[in-house]
Amino acid sequence: MTIGAEIGKGLDRVRALGVLGAVAGGALLLWGARSSVQGALESYLFAYIFWLNFTLGCLGLLMLHHMVSGGWGFMIQRVIEAGMRTLPVMALLFVPVLLGVEILYPWASPASGAGDQLWRGYLNVPFFTARALLYFVLWIVMATCLGSWSRHQDVTGDPRITRRLRLLSAPGLAVYVLTLTFASVYW
């Protein structure tokens, strides 16, 4: 058996354990929701943001690496690229937050009467959803571009791609910081 095959088997075991852990976590969340839906949603949101920050941290670190062209990033580049590729999954895992927005946030409940007219245009469920969608689209587009360009550069060795990666990463970091800040505050 080759080393690659052994690594593949090891990764299959890790993947199976990950799926098993996700199923067990989902079952525990549903069991906890029997006694308190709000408590279960709050716990889910806390855990969700915790894990999302790992994924987004990989995206920010990769853009920083491309922007400064430091040698330090080459050792971890593939690992952080793999980490940021989980963004579509994290977008899908945001659906329970959207479904429970009226339970999680007092301003979202029509019966609460929270807030005055000034904030009603900003703090409402459709605009909250639109902002979340915008954040995920921006993050996923940046991650997809960076990842595909990097793989293309590995195949072709084209040095012009380094410039393209840098040109996306510099303004991308500004977009990243702003969207992550807004998402962190509002979620």
Side-chain angles (χ1 to χ4, degrees), residues 25-135:
L28 285 172
L29 180 69
L30 291 175
W31 182 73
R34 292 179 330 142
S35 62
S36 172
V37 173
Q38 182 172 358
L41 278 171
E42 288 170 353
S43 296
Y44 181 86
L45 179 63
F46 180 82
Y48 175 81
I49 290 173
F50 176 81
W51 290 108
L52 177 67
N53 282 319
F54 281 103
T55 301
L56 291 176
C58 288
L59 176 61
L61 201 56
L62 184 67
M63 285 191 288
L64 181 65
H65 161 65
H66 286 308
M67 192 176 77
V68 300
S69 297
W72 57 268
F74 290 113
M75 294 298 289
I76 61 170
Q77 183 173 346
R78 298 302 174 234
V79 173
I80 58 180
E81 284 176 354
M84 73 177 188
R85 278 196 295 269
T86 62
L87 269 168
V89 174
M90 295 308 291
L92 183 63
L93 290 173
F94 192 70
V95 171
V97 176
L98 292 176
L99 294 175
V101 71
E102 291 184 5
I103 297 169
L104 284 168
Y105 302 106
W107 54 261
S109 174
S112 73
D116 55 23
Q117 283 299 88
L118 176 66
W119 288 103
R120 285 274 175 207
Y122 188 73
L123 293 177
N124 60 62
V125 176
F127 193 46
F128 177 85
T129 305
R131 285 191 314 263
L133 181 64
L134 175 67
Y135 301 153

Side-chain angles (χ1 to χ4, degrees), residues 135-159:
Y135 301 153
F136 280 110
V137 166
L138 289 170
W139 294 332
I140 291 170
V141 165
M142 288 188 295
T144 302
C145 289
L146 291 169
S148 66
W149 294 344
S150 178
R151 284 189 301 279
H152 183 68
Q153 186 177 36
D154 288 346
V155 172
T156 64
D158 187 356

